[in-house]
Amino acid sequence: MDTVLSGIRSTGNLHLGNYFGAVKNFLKMQEENNCYFFIADYHSLTTYPTPENLHNSVKSVLAEYLATGLDPEKSAIYVQSDVREITELYLLLNMNAYVGELERTTSFKDKVRTQPNNVNAGLLTYPVLMAADILIHRSNKVPVGKDQEQNLEMARKFAKRFNYMYKVDYFPEPQPYNFGENLVKVPGLDGSGKMGKTAGNGIYLIDEDKIIQKKVMRAVTDSGPTEINSPVSEPIKNLFTLMNLVSTADTLDFFKEKYANCEIRYGDLKKQLAEDIIKFVTPIRKNILEIQGDTEYLRKVAKQGAEKAIESASKTVKEVRKIIGFREF
Ligand code: TYM
């Protein structure tokens, strides 16, 4: 049986990018694997949440996980900071992570460019903490969206390096897991790039109908096709990609044909897209609202998940300490 691990940062609510890039696959995976799904609250500290926000975000992501159908009886669902063993493995892996390779990662370079006044060491070693998350359960499969591909590659590098250094075959090299499909990149509504938490271009699972409608109707488009079969611009491609996720194949074909014939009215396309997103999101939102009020249930799930994760994590740390050479007197 495979050990699957994945996480979501507790920076705000879950959006459609998280759902279609990651959670949708978690739901399938929990049926036949040994699964660990967690909420990455240590990682969220690179953005300095207030103590209130830190806790509330963790709580809402937990409720959202459960609302999508993740089953705490089948998978360990836990909060990263409840498993202190992760920080020890993070420290140990940091000793074999080179500053140069960390500086070269795309996400770090992005941060240096976008927030030059706050390039903290947590950002630099972000991939090491992610590797610790993965390797702590000796996971061999990691469902992620396209944006996390490089971080996963770093985790493989650190696993291989550890094995080589200590001449052991201890850590598996974790592979991306997407049922053989390509890793997904769900686009945002602002015409370019992925749907993200910080970009403000996303639709959240908790969004109400009116908000979804407003966001979709405001989505960036272009001035329309000028000739039969003219190439599709990025903002329109993005709307088709979103439609492909939530609408029927017939609906998508209908609008693609309209585009090809230069008969498309973007207002109609958006109206249909908003309607289909609402249809998709509404039952999940209802579940979220029900679950997030049940603090007792959330506490129980987090406790049960942490117990299972700590059991596996402490075994790994004990073995790693032994491999490295820590001995009791
Ligand atoms: P985060 O919280 O940004 O995203 C969580 C998951 O959602 C996927 N995702 C997307 N997939 C497709 N299209 C999008 N627009 C989109 N936006 C987000 C991400 O690929 C991810 O799978 N550092 C991680 C959290 C993390 C983690 C880990 C993940 C910490 N430790 C260990 C896997 C394994 C993060 O910030 O993801």
Side-chain angles (χ1 to χ4, degrees), residues 36 39 55 58 70 79-80 83 117 120 122 143 180 182 204 269 280 318:
Y36 295 91
I39 300 158
H55 178 69
V58 170
L70 279 190
V79 182
Q80 186 184 32
V83 183
N117 297 326
N120 58 66
N182 289 334
Y204 295 91
L269 168 77
F280 177 80
K318 199 167 159 212

Side-chain angles (χ1 to χ4, degrees), residues 10-43:
S10 58
T11 319
N13 296 95
L14 295 198
H15 50 64
L16 289 180
N18 297 132
Y19 184 85
F20 286 107
V23 177
K24 182 173 161 239
N25 288 325
F26 298 175
L27 293 172
K28 289 195 251 172
M29 286 162 192
Q30 69 179 357
E31 299 304 326
E32 32 191 77
N33 299 281
N34 183 24
C35 288
Y36 295 91
F37 299 124
F38 74 100
I39 300 158
D41 57 346
Y42 284 141
H43 278 106

Side-chain angles (χ1 to χ4, degrees), residues 41-61:
D41 57 346
Y42 284 141
H43 278 106
S44 79
L45 296 183
T46 58
T47 58
Y48 306 134
T50 63
E52 275 301 281
N53 283 344
L54 177 65
H55 178 69
N56 287 335
S57 300
V58 170
K59 196 173 155 196
S60 52
V61 175

